[in-house]
Amino acid sequence: MGRKEIAFTKQCALATKDWDTFQIVIRKCLSPDKPKPKITSSKTLSKTRGLVALLLLIQLLSFDPRPVSAAAGMTPSSPEKTAIVVASFGTTVPEALSSITNIVSKIKAAFPQTEVRLTFTSNIIRSVWKERRQDPEEWLQKGIPREILEVKNIISTIGDLREDGYETIIVQPTHMFFMEQSHDLQQYVSALGSIRTLKERWRPFKKIVMGR
């Protein structure tokens, strides 16, 4: 192997934690030693050593001693973390918020070990709360829960959960009828659940489903 090949091999191997072992074997393969009886050509010997180094490099690069989540820069998700997203149409009327927060409270009480978050599916309603966030203290003093004031769309809500290490997510809508809002919500959930990476371990979600 030439200098460029050796430099490239070392650079790639730095991605693993087994560099010391790799370095020892590479030295063994590349260091001059007594020619073997069956190898009479230095050119053949060089090719053999290069092949051994290449095979070793491939094996090392296919192994990552770190946990999958750590290698991907994600929050470790073992044991498996499950979350519930309550998807409501939403409301801009403060007096009507209790009908939504009561549902969220009951779900939290029924599943105390499960993370429960809220999302509004109406773009118009979310935009109103976004404007109200310009003066948050006014609305917080009126008793508006922060999760209402800072409510997000379904994609952002699920994205935040994934960043926090949740890979199994249940989206539970509160819509009374299956119409446009429910249809679009189902499309979002199906699209996120259909993500397939080349390597199974890099899939963002183990399971993401929508309830009735």
Side-chain angles (χ1 to χ4, degrees), residues 86 98 100-111 116 147:
V86 180
S98 60
I100 298 174
T101 56
N102 284 343
I103 295 175
V104 175
S105 297
K106 288 185 179 299
I107 293 177
K108 288 181 176 179
F111 303 96
V116 180
E147 65 177 339

Side-chain angles (χ1 to χ4, degrees), residues 177-206:
F177 303 102
F178 191 90
M179 299 179 71
E180 179 182 355
Q181 295 288 322
S182 298
H183 172 274
D184 293 350
L185 180 63
Q186 186 178 57
Q187 294 301 308
Y188 291 136
V189 173
S190 298
L192 292 172
S194 68
I195 296 175
R196 296 293 184 271
T197 52
L198 287 177
K199 293 182 179 179
E200 181 68 18
R201 61 182 181 174
W202 302 136
R203 284 186 62 187
F205 304 104
K206 290 182 179 178

Side-chain angles (χ1 to χ4, degrees), residues 151-192:
V151 69
K152 298 181 180 181
N153 63 31
I154 184 65
I155 295 179
S156 296
T157 303
I158 292 177
D160 289 344
L161 285 170
R162 185 62 194 89
E163 283 298 304
D164 292 339
Y166 293 90
E167 295 180 328
T168 299
I169 299 175
I170 301 167
V171 178
Q172 180 58 56
T174 63
H175 306 135
M176 295 183 65
F177 303 102
F178 191 90
M179 299 179 71
E180 179 182 355
Q181 295 288 322
S182 298
H183 172 274
D184 293 350
L185 180 63
Q186 186 178 57
Q187 294 301 308
Y188 291 136
V189 173
S190 298
L192 292 172

Side-chain angles (χ1 to χ4, degrees), residues 38-53:
K38 294 184 179 180
I39 300 178
T40 57
S41 169
S42 60
K43 191 173 184 179
T44 302
L45 178 61
S46 177
K47 288 183 178 180
T48 302
R49 290 172 177 169
L51 179 59
V52 171

